[in-house]
Amino acid sequence: MAEEATDYSPSKTLLAEVSSNERFAHRRFAVLGVAFCTVCLAAMATLMILYHNLDDGNGSPSTSLLRSCTHPIYCTGEFLQAVQLAQPALFLDSKTFVDMPCRSPPQDILDAFQAQRNSAGFNISAFVQQHFDAAGSEVMTVTPPDFVPNPQRLSKLQNVELRTFAYNVHAVWKNLTRQFNTSYSCGEPCMSSMPVPNPFVAPGGRFREFYYWDTYWIIKGLLVSNLTVTARHTLENLLWAVKEYGFVPNGARIYYQDRSQPPLLTLMVRDYVTATGDLSILTDAIDLLHQEHQFWMLTPHRVLTSDTTITANPTIITSDDVLNRYYANTADPRPESYREDTVTLQSSNGRSPLDMYSSLATGAETGWDYSTRWFANNSEDITAVNAQNVVPIDLNAILLQVESTMKNWTCAGGLAPNPSLCTEYGNWVSSRTKSVVKVFPANPVMGDFLLDVQSKNAKWFGAVSALLATPEYANAVNLADLQGAVNTLVTNIYPGGVPASLTTSGQQWDFPNAWSPVQYFAIEALELASQLSQGTLATAYHTKAVSIAQTWITTTYCGYISTQALFEKYNVSATGAAGHGGEYIVQTGFGWTNGLVLWILDKYASELTTPNC
Ligand SMILES: *[C@@H]1O[C@H](CO)[C@@H](O)[C@H](O)[C@H]1NC(C)=O
Ligand SMILES: *[C@@H]1O[C@H](CO)[C@@H](O)[C@H](O)[C@H]1NC(C)=O
Ligand SMILES: *[C@@H]1O[C@H](CO)[C@@H](O)[C@H](O)[C@H]1NC(C)=O
Ligand SMILES: *[C@@H]1O[C@H](CO)[C@@H](O)[C@H](O)[C@H]1NC(C)=O
Ligand SMILES: *[C@@H]1O[C@H](CO)[C@@H](O)[C@H](O)[C@H]1NC(C)=O
Ligand SMILES: *[C@@H]1O[C@H](CO)[C@@H](O)[C@H](O)[C@H]1NC(C)=O
Ligand SMILES: *[C@@H]1O[C@H](CO)[C@@H](O)[C@H](O)[C@H]1NC(C)=O
């Protein structure tokens, strides 16, 4: 029943090479099949439909499959289920348990569990306390080796309040930089941490490991802080992950192996090279960045008209289009949100475990977990999450920037040119530009493209700005259309920033929450519109960009003054108030907030004023 997925990429031969992901494909198929059948035999048919194109029969890797984690404590199995679903709950947050290192080899713990579980008075809470150390025991907080208290780029701030704030935010890197404790007795298989080679910067709070897309704004901040050694170490950790897994996982935990996150690594390397002039990183990075791009260009992350996981083939998409979506496959709840996902499945209207859990993991891969942006049927309920049927405007904008950067580096860009990659990336850029202009027109309204409903998702605008901030796109469309799209953004700025969406749903990536990535792309979009416009309009767009920047500084500053903390998200309806909603309580720290604050303070040093709290 295998049906060949046709490959329409500009460079068919390249993708026909065996990628490192392929060797995991068949293993994953087997593991999922077994796990799934024991859960739900009746849904076997669904499984076969979803998976039939994974094995295309001729050995060509037209499909990207992530290596799944089968660790019997941290990823799947009866013990994990017993701990995570215990009543009453052992921990407030489902992530706590999967971050706890074992005190003895995993098999010994599993054997003890099997021996004791049915005995009278078995207490799972006491069992966990006896066999596991506290979450995060294997890492230590360290001062970055290149840390100085008052880096030059912050000292130039004339405004005393802002300069003091900048130094305080800068000092928080010392709280967020982590390193493995090598004298910690338990070896690697006893913990869920991925053994990254270098120190890393964690977002903070429950996020004790590095996260993929958070690192984009963390790197921007580290570069302003002149922590260039730490920035390079951080990038080398992410490149290590590509070497090890074929892609960058959501975060540095083995239980994140079934999904990635917005693919910003190439753009992080670009920021590092621009800030430092250090091209030496590219010697090793180019091949790995190319490998990551290949991962994204396999189905089902690549949207192909022949892809049978797309339930309704929208006629606007043709075989020569270059478009991407998020897609994760898993028949298990996310280990770090085990209880939440189990409840969601139970309250869904008969969705199969594979369908429900894959949709939830796909939602997590978007970085926007969760938002009505990903919910089908205009629902505000997470049981309708359906992210795999969305072609996200920002994912495609990011990949267009990635391809353009790779094109520059391989065609000239300060390195020895690589003619075949130069041609390949040139083709990706021109094909994707054509596709995004067609599928996400600036006029009349920009939004995601839905694969199953064939309509634009007009209820949401936030990520519009990522495409609006992309020069290749801006050059390909009519300036008046572009200005119209920017104006939609401008009319939705609130006292505490730009909201993730205009829908109030209780989800954390919806109104009234404001997040760093959204502010950043909005600022970049307005600055690009300013550069492309003339006269008073150019000035007006720049002024709007500064006003979003000032709002973000005001809200983070006022929050800091009243609580001594920086939050992962803020409330657009108030000044300096943390956001709320979603699966866990608001976290402090916080990597990307600090990174964006430092980037803004540096970029707009002479235009910002003392916040009025
Ligand atoms: C189970 O063990 C925990 C932790 O040792 C303890 O707090 C709790 O009271 C115990 N529960 C019962 C029912 O004994
Ligand atoms: C940045 O740090 C490096 C050492 O890591 C130092 O040589 C350089 O002078 C610093 N630059 C600035 C602008 O502070
Ligand atoms: C490192 O681990 C060892 C062994 O578990 C422990 O004694 C020590 O306190 C840890 N060091 C830090 C800084 O956490
Ligand atoms: C959307 O609604 C249709 C029709 O009621 C239903 O069949 C489908 O399962 C819903 N989609 C999701 C993801 O809930
Ligand atoms: C291409 O890369 C080089 C080296 O990083 C950089 O100096 C140049 O600005 C880049 N050009 C473009 C158009 O991005
Ligand atoms: C940083 O860590 C220090 C020492 O643990 C703590 O007092 C301070 O509140 C932390 N700062 C922030 C902003 O989290
Ligand atoms: C956001 O702030 C407004 C105004 O203070 C408040 O009414 C609302 O409840 C807050 N929302 C959340 C989710 O915190």
Side-chain angles (χ1 to χ4, degrees), residues 125-153:
S125 170
F127 184 88
V128 166
Q129 279 187 23
Q130 184 191 343
H131 292 281
F132 292 84
D133 281 329
S137 298
E138 76 278 29
V139 291
M140 309 178 295
T141 301
V142 294
T143 296
D146 43 351
F147 186 88
V148 294
N150 305 328
Q152 203 183 53
R153 279 167 78 176

PDB file of all heavy atoms in Angstrom, residues 125-153:
ATOM      1  N   SER A 125       4.612   8.040  46.099  1.00  0.00           N
ATOM      2  CA  SER A 125       5.298   9.284  46.421  1.00  0.00           C
ATOM      3  C   SER A 125       6.591   8.975  47.193  1.00  0.00           C
ATOM      4  O   SER A 125       7.673   9.497  46.877  1.00  0.00           O
ATOM      5  CB  SER A 125       4.358  10.160  47.249  1.00  0.00           C
ATOM      6  OG  SER A 125       5.046  11.245  47.774  1.00  0.00           O
ATOM      7  N   ALA A 126       6.480   8.098  48.175  1.00  0.00           N
ATOM      8  CA  ALA A 126       7.668   7.715  48.944  1.00  0.00           C
ATOM      9  C   ALA A 126       8.665   6.991  48.042  1.00  0.00           C
ATOM     10  O   ALA A 126       9.891   7.181  48.156  1.00  0.00           O
ATOM     11  CB  ALA A 126       7.257   6.816  50.111  1.00  0.00           C
ATOM     12  N   PHE A 127       8.153   6.170  47.114  1.00  0.00           N
ATOM     13  CA  PHE A 127       9.017   5.436  46.193  1.00  0.00           C
ATOM     14  C   PHE A 127       9.841   6.410  45.333  1.00  0.00           C
ATOM     15  O   PHE A 127      11.050   6.254  45.165  1.00  0.00           O
ATOM     16  CB  PHE A 127       8.155   4.528  45.301  1.00  0.00           C
ATOM     17  CG  PHE A 127       8.951   3.645  44.381  1.00  0.00           C
ATOM     18  CD1 PHE A 127       9.388   2.391  44.806  1.00  0.00           C
ATOM     19  CD2 PHE A 127       9.284   4.059  43.089  1.00  0.00           C
ATOM     20  CE1 PHE A 127      10.138   1.574  43.967  1.00  0.00           C
ATOM     21  CE2 PHE A 127      10.036   3.256  42.251  1.00  0.00           C
ATOM     22  CZ  PHE A 127      10.461   2.009  42.685  1.00  0.00           C
ATOM     23  N   VAL A 128       9.178   7.444  44.823  1.00  0.00           N
ATOM     24  CA  VAL A 128       9.881   8.434  43.987  1.00  0.00           C
ATOM     25  C   VAL A 128      10.921   9.184  44.825  1.00  0.00           C
ATOM     26  O   VAL A 128      12.060   9.383  44.402  1.00  0.00           O
ATOM     27  CB  VAL A 128       8.869   9.398  43.309  1.00  0.00           C
ATOM     28  CG1 VAL A 128       9.567  10.620  42.719  1.00  0.00           C
ATOM     29  CG2 VAL A 128       8.094   8.656  42.229  1.00  0.00           C
ATOM     30  N   GLN A 129      10.551   9.551  46.026  1.00  0.00           N
ATOM     31  CA  GLN A 129      11.514  10.254  46.894  1.00  0.00           C
ATOM     32  C   GLN A 129      12.746   9.406  47.198  1.00  0.00           C
ATOM     33  O   GLN A 129      13.852   9.904  47.287  1.00  0.00           O
ATOM     34  CB  GLN A 129      10.851  10.655  48.211  1.00  0.00           C
ATOM     35  CG  GLN A 129      10.029  11.910  48.079  1.00  0.00           C
ATOM     36  CD  GLN A 129       9.504  12.388  49.430  1.00  0.00           C
ATOM     37  OE1 GLN A 129      10.062  12.059  50.481  1.00  0.00           O
ATOM     38  NE2 GLN A 129       8.435  13.161  49.394  1.00  0.00           N
ATOM     39  N   GLN A 130      12.495   8.101  47.341  1.00  0.00           N
ATOM     40  CA  GLN A 130      13.592   7.193  47.681  1.00  0.00           C
ATOM     41  C   GLN A 130      14.552   6.996  46.502  1.00  0.00           C
ATOM     42  O   GLN A 130      15.757   6.870  46.686  1.00  0.00           O
ATOM     43  CB  GLN A 130      12.997   5.847  48.105  1.00  0.00           C
ATOM     44  CG  GLN A 130      14.020   4.836  48.589  1.00  0.00           C
ATOM     45  CD  GLN A 130      13.382   3.441  48.731  1.00  0.00           C
ATOM     46  OE1 GLN A 130      12.158   3.293  48.783  1.00  0.00           O
ATOM     47  NE2 GLN A 130      14.223   2.419  48.777  1.00  0.00           N
ATOM     48  N   HIS A 131      14.020   6.973  45.267  1.00  0.00           N
ATOM     49  CA  HIS A 131      14.836   6.579  44.119  1.00  0.00           C
ATOM     50  C   HIS A 131      15.314   7.724  43.224  1.00  0.00           C
ATOM     51  O   HIS A 131      16.072   7.481  42.285  1.00  0.00           O
ATOM     52  CB  HIS A 131      14.073   5.558  43.268  1.00  0.00           C
ATOM     53  CG  HIS A 131      13.890   4.234  43.958  1.00  0.00           C
ATOM     54  ND1 HIS A 131      14.892   3.295  44.038  1.00  0.00           N
ATOM     55  CD2 HIS A 131      12.831   3.718  44.627  1.00  0.00           C
ATOM     56  CE1 HIS A 131      14.451   2.240  44.717  1.00  0.00           C
ATOM     57  NE2 HIS A 131      13.209   2.467  45.091  1.00  0.00           N
ATOM     58  N   PHE A 132      14.835   8.939  43.499  1.00  0.00           N
ATOM     59  CA  PHE A 132      15.203  10.057  42.606  1.00  0.00           C
ATOM     60  C   PHE A 132      15.706  11.260  43.398  1.00  0.00           C
ATOM     61  O   PHE A 132      15.261  11.495  44.520  1.00  0.00           O
ATOM     62  CB  PHE A 132      13.988  10.488  41.767  1.00  0.00           C
ATOM     63  CG  PHE A 132      13.555   9.454  40.762  1.00  0.00           C
ATOM     64  CD1 PHE A 132      12.716   8.404  41.135  1.00  0.00           C
ATOM     65  CD2 PHE A 132      14.014   9.504  39.453  1.00  0.00           C
ATOM     66  CE1 PHE A 132      12.334   7.428  40.216  1.00  0.00           C
ATOM     67  CE2 PHE A 132      13.637   8.533  38.530  1.00  0.00           C
ATOM     68  CZ  PHE A 132      12.798   7.490  38.913  1.00  0.00           C
ATOM     69  N   ASP A 133      16.620  12.009  42.766  1.00  0.00           N
ATOM     70  CA  ASP A 133      17.070  13.277  43.339  1.00  0.00           C
ATOM     71  C   ASP A 133      16.181  14.414  42.831  1.00  0.00           C
ATOM     72  O   ASP A 133      15.436  14.244  41.867  1.00  0.00           O
ATOM     73  CB  ASP A 133      18.523  13.544  42.944  1.00  0.00           C
ATOM     74  CG  ASP A 133      19.489  12.731  43.804  1.00  0.00           C
ATOM     75  OD1 ASP A 133      19.157  12.470  44.977  1.00  0.00           O
ATOM     76  OD2 ASP A 133      20.558  12.342  43.290  1.00  0.00           O
ATOM     77  N   ALA A 134      16.315  15.562  43.454  1.00  0.00           N
ATOM     78  CA  ALA A 134      15.497  16.713  43.064  1.00  0.00           C
ATOM     79  C   ALA A 134      15.744  17.097  41.603  1.00  0.00           C
ATOM     80  O   ALA A 134      16.851  16.915  41.081  1.00  0.00           O
ATOM     81  CB  ALA A 134      15.815  17.892  43.978  1.00  0.00           C
ATOM     82  N   ALA A 135      14.708  17.637  40.978  1.00  0.00           N
ATOM     83  CA  ALA A 135      14.829  18.093  39.586  1.00  0.00           C
ATOM     84  C   ALA A 135      15.994  19.066  39.477  1.00  0.00           C
ATOM     85  O   ALA A 135      16.125  19.971  40.299  1.00  0.00           O
ATOM     86  CB  ALA A 135      13.531  18.760  39.154  1.00  0.00           C
ATOM     87  N   GLY A 136      16.821  18.857  38.460  1.00  0.00           N
ATOM     88  CA  GLY A 136      17.928  19.778  38.220  1.00  0.00           C
ATOM     89  C   GLY A 136      19.174  19.511  39.043  1.00  0.00           C
ATOM     90  O   GLY A 136      20.130  20.293  38.982  1.00  0.00           O
ATOM     91  N   SER A 137      19.214  18.404  39.799  1.00  0.00           N
ATOM     92  CA  SER A 137      20.395  18.130  40.642  1.00  0.00           C
ATOM     93  C   SER A 137      21.688  17.983  39.853  1.00  0.00           C
ATOM     94  O   SER A 137      22.769  18.169  40.406  1.00  0.00           O
ATOM     95  CB  SER A 137      20.203  16.829  41.426  1.00  0.00           C
ATOM     96  OG  SER A 137      19.116  16.905  42.286  1.00  0.00           O
ATOM     97  N   GLU A 138      21.581  17.622  38.580  1.00  0.00           N
ATOM     98  CA  GLU A 138      22.789  17.339  37.803  1.00  0.00           C
ATOM     99  C   GLU A 138      23.422  18.591  37.198  1.00  0.00           C
ATOM    100  O   GLU A 138      24.475  18.514  36.576  1.00  0.00           O
ATOM    101  CB  GLU A 138      22.490  16.296  36.715  1.00  0.00           C
ATOM    102  CG  GLU A 138      21.729  16.806  35.495  1.00  0.00           C
ATOM    103  CD  GLU A 138      20.205  16.895  35.672  1.00  0.00           C
ATOM    104  OE1 GLU A 138      19.738  17.106  36.813  1.00  0.00           O
ATOM    105  OE2 GLU A 138      19.495  16.784  34.663  1.00  0.00           O
ATOM    106  N   VAL A 139      22.756  19.739  37.354  1.00  0.00           N
ATOM    107  CA  VAL A 139      23.346  20.965  36.795  1.00  0.00           C
ATOM    108  C   VAL A 139      23.669  21.974  37.882  1.00  0.00           C
ATOM    109  O   VAL A 139      23.032  22.003  38.933  1.00  0.00           O
ATOM    110  CB  VAL A 139      22.447  21.640  35.722  1.00  0.00           C
ATOM    111  CG1 VAL A 139      22.367  20.818  34.458  1.00  0.00           C
ATOM    112  CG2 VAL A 139      21.073  21.937  36.265  1.00  0.00           C
ATOM    113  N   MET A 140      24.675  22.789  37.593  1.00  0.00           N
ATOM    114  CA  MET A 140      25.081  23.841  38.531  1.00  0.00           C
ATOM    115  C   MET A 140      24.910  25.181  37.825  1.00  0.00           C
ATOM    116  O   MET A 140      25.056  25.279  36.608  1.00  0.00           O
ATOM    117  CB  MET A 140      26.571  23.707  38.874  1.00  0.00           C
ATOM    118  CG  MET A 140      26.991  22.333  39.312  1.00  0.00           C
ATOM    119  SD  MET A 140      28.772  22.275  39.627  1.00  0.00           S
ATOM    120  CE  MET A 140      29.483  22.557  38.019  1.00  0.00           C
ATOM    121  N   THR A 141      24.621  26.212  38.603  1.00  0.00           N
ATOM    122  CA  THR A 141      24.575  27.562  38.052  1.00  0.00           C
ATOM    123  C   THR A 141      25.998  28.108  38.084  1.00  0.00           C
ATOM    124  O   THR A 141      26.684  27.980  39.096  1.00  0.00           O
ATOM    125  CB  THR A 141      23.627  28.426  38.901  1.00  0.00           C
ATOM    126  OG1 THR A 141      22.338  27.810  38.878  1.00  0.00           O
ATOM    127  CG2 THR A 141      23.509  29.829  38.346  1.00  0.00           C
ATOM    128  N   VAL A 142      26.459  28.659  36.962  1.00  0.00           N
ATOM    129  CA  VAL A 142      27.833  29.175  36.896  1.00  0.00           C
ATOM    130  C   VAL A 142      27.839  30.595  36.335  1.00  0.00           C
ATOM    131  O   VAL A 142      26.945  30.978  35.586  1.00  0.00           O
ATOM    132  CB  VAL A 142      28.738  28.289  35.994  1.00  0.00           C
ATOM    133  CG1 VAL A 142      28.934  26.919  36.600  1.00  0.00           C
ATOM    134  CG2 VAL A 142      28.188  28.168  34.567  1.00  0.00           C
ATOM    135  N   THR A 143      28.842  31.349  36.694  1.00  0.00           N
ATOM    136  CA  THR A 143      29.027  32.674  36.090  1.00  0.00           C
ATOM    137  C   THR A 143      29.659  32.462  34.716  1.00  0.00           C
ATOM    138  O   THR A 143      30.636  31.711  34.602  1.00  0.00           O
ATOM    139  CB  THR A 143      29.951  33.528  36.976  1.00  0.00           C
ATOM    140  OG1 THR A 143      29.282  33.725  38.221  1.00  0.00           O
ATOM    141  CG2 THR A 143      30.232  34.887  36.344  1.00  0.00           C
ATOM    142  N   PRO A 144      29.121  33.109  33.659  1.00  0.00           N
ATOM    143  CA  PRO A 144      29.751  32.939  32.343  1.00  0.00           C
ATOM    144  C   PRO A 144      31.229  33.327  32.415  1.00  0.00           C
ATOM    145  O   PRO A 144      31.560  34.324  33.062  1.00  0.00           O
ATOM    146  CB  PRO A 144      28.975  33.898  31.435  1.00  0.00           C
ATOM    147  CG  PRO A 144      27.693  34.167  32.148  1.00  0.00           C
ATOM    148  CD  PRO A 144      27.978  34.016  33.618  1.00  0.00           C
ATOM    149  N   PRO A 145      32.121  32.576  31.779  1.00  0.00           N
ATOM    150  CA  PRO A 145      33.561  32.832  31.916  1.00  0.00           C
ATOM    151  C   PRO A 145      33.972  34.215  31.411  1.00  0.00           C
ATOM    152  O   PRO A 145      34.966  34.771  31.871  1.00  0.00           O
ATOM    153  CB  PRO A 145      34.202  31.727  31.062  1.00  0.00           C
ATOM    154  CG  PRO A 145      33.122  31.247  30.137  1.00  0.00           C
ATOM    155  CD  PRO A 145      31.832  31.435  30.889  1.00  0.00           C
ATOM    156  N   ASP A 146      33.199  34.773  30.489  1.00  0.00           N
ATOM    157  CA  ASP A 146      33.564  36.075  29.906  1.00  0.00           C
ATOM    158  C   ASP A 146      32.751  37.230  30.509  1.00  0.00           C
ATOM    159  O   ASP A 146      32.691  38.320  29.947  1.00  0.00           O
ATOM    160  CB  ASP A 146      33.411  36.040  28.374  1.00  0.00           C
ATOM    161  CG  ASP A 146      32.140  35.338  27.902  1.00  0.00           C
ATOM    162  OD1 ASP A 146      31.439  34.709  28.737  1.00  0.00           O
ATOM    163  OD2 ASP A 146      31.845  35.395  26.699  1.00  0.00           O
ATOM    164  N   PHE A 147      32.131  36.998  31.661  1.00  0.00           N
ATOM    165  CA  PHE A 147      31.268  38.021  32.273  1.00  0.00           C
ATOM    166  C   PHE A 147      32.064  39.198  32.838  1.00  0.00           C
ATOM    167  O   PHE A 147      33.026  39.019  33.577  1.00  0.00           O
ATOM    168  CB  PHE A 147      30.439  37.389  33.402  1.00  0.00           C
ATOM    169  CG  PHE A 147      29.431  38.326  33.995  1.00  0.00           C
ATOM    170  CD1 PHE A 147      28.161  38.437  33.441  1.00  0.00           C
ATOM    171  CD2 PHE A 147      29.749  39.115  35.090  1.00  0.00           C
ATOM    172  CE1 PHE A 147      27.227  39.313  33.972  1.00  0.00           C
ATOM    173  CE2 PHE A 147      28.820  40.001  35.626  1.00  0.00           C
ATOM    174  CZ  PHE A 147      27.560  40.087  35.064  1.00  0.00           C
ATOM    175  N   VAL A 148      31.663  40.425  32.470  1.00  0.00           N
ATOM    176  CA  VAL A 148      32.162  41.634  33.158  1.00  0.00           C
ATOM    177  C   VAL A 148      30.925  42.429  33.600  1.00  0.00           C
ATOM    178  O   VAL A 148      29.906  42.399  32.919  1.00  0.00           O
ATOM    179  CB  VAL A 148      33.068  42.518  32.258  1.00  0.00           C
ATOM    180  CG1 VAL A 148      34.363  41.801  31.912  1.00  0.00           C
ATOM    181  CG2 VAL A 148      32.340  42.969  31.000  1.00  0.00           C
ATOM    182  N   PRO A 149      30.981  43.126  34.744  1.00  0.00           N
ATOM    183  CA  PRO A 149      29.778  43.765  35.285  1.00  0.00           C
ATOM    184  C   PRO A 149      29.184  44.862  34.390  1.00  0.00           C
ATOM    185  O   PRO A 149      27.983  44.964  34.279  1.00  0.00           O
ATOM    186  CB  PRO A 149      30.242  44.354  36.617  1.00  0.00           C
ATOM    187  CG  PRO A 149      31.531  43.679  36.932  1.00  0.00           C
ATOM    188  CD  PRO A 149      32.132  43.240  35.647  1.00  0.00           C
ATOM    189  N   ASN A 150      30.035  45.675  33.758  1.00  0.00           N
ATOM    190  CA  ASN A 150      29.508  46.827  33.019  1.00  0.00           C
ATOM    191  C   ASN A 150      29.972  46.837  31.561  1.00  0.00           C
ATOM    192  O   ASN A 150      30.850  47.609  31.196  1.00  0.00           O
ATOM    193  CB  ASN A 150      29.951  48.129  33.688  1.00  0.00           C
ATOM    194  CG  ASN A 150      29.556  48.184  35.154  1.00  0.00           C
ATOM    195  OD1 ASN A 150      28.522  47.624  35.551  1.00  0.00           O
ATOM    196  ND2 ASN A 150      30.362  48.844  35.961  1.00  0.00           N
ATOM    197  N   PRO A 151      29.402  46.005  30.724  1.00  0.00           N
ATOM    198  CA  PRO A 151      29.892  45.940  29.342  1.00  0.00           C
ATOM    199  C   PRO A 151      29.682  47.271  28.603  1.00  0.00           C
ATOM    200  O   PRO A 151      28.731  47.992  28.867  1.00  0.00           O
ATOM    201  CB  PRO A 151      29.065  44.819  28.710  1.00  0.00           C
ATOM    202  CG  PRO A 151      27.879  44.650  29.584  1.00  0.00           C
ATOM    203  CD  PRO A 151      28.268  45.096  30.948  1.00  0.00           C
ATOM    204  N   GLN A 152      30.614  47.520  27.683  1.00  0.00           N
ATOM    205  CA  GLN A 152      30.680  48.826  27.012  1.00  0.00           C
ATOM    206  C   GLN A 152      29.376  49.241  26.321  1.00  0.00           C
ATOM    207  O   GLN A 152      28.968  50.387  26.405  1.00  0.00           O
ATOM    208  CB  GLN A 152      31.804  48.752  25.983  1.00  0.00           C
ATOM    209  CG  GLN A 152      32.378  50.078  25.594  1.00  0.00           C
ATOM    210  CD  GLN A 152      33.430  49.883  24.513  1.00  0.00           C
ATOM    211  OE1 GLN A 152      33.173  49.256  23.481  1.00  0.00           O
ATOM    212  NE2 GLN A 152      34.606  50.419  24.751  1.00  0.00           N
ATOM    213  N   ARG A 153      28.734  48.292  25.652  1.00  0.00           N
ATOM    214  CA  ARG A 153      27.533  48.668  24.892  1.00  0.00           C
ATOM    215  C   ARG A 153      26.401  49.103  25.809  1.00  0.00           C
ATOM    216  O   ARG A 153      25.465  49.757  25.358  1.00  0.00           O
ATOM    217  CB  ARG A 153      27.102  47.528  23.971  1.00  0.00           C
ATOM    218  CG  ARG A 153      27.929  47.522  22.685  1.00  0.00           C
ATOM    219  CD  ARG A 153      27.768  46.256  21.900  1.00  0.00           C
ATOM    220  NE  ARG A 153      26.527  46.200  21.147  1.00  0.00           N
ATOM    221  CZ  ARG A 153      26.229  45.193  20.322  1.00  0.00           C
ATOM    222  NH1 ARG A 153      27.074  44.179  20.166  1.00  0.00           N
ATOM    223  NH2 ARG A 153      25.098  45.198  19.652  1.00  0.00           N
TER     224      ARG A 153
END
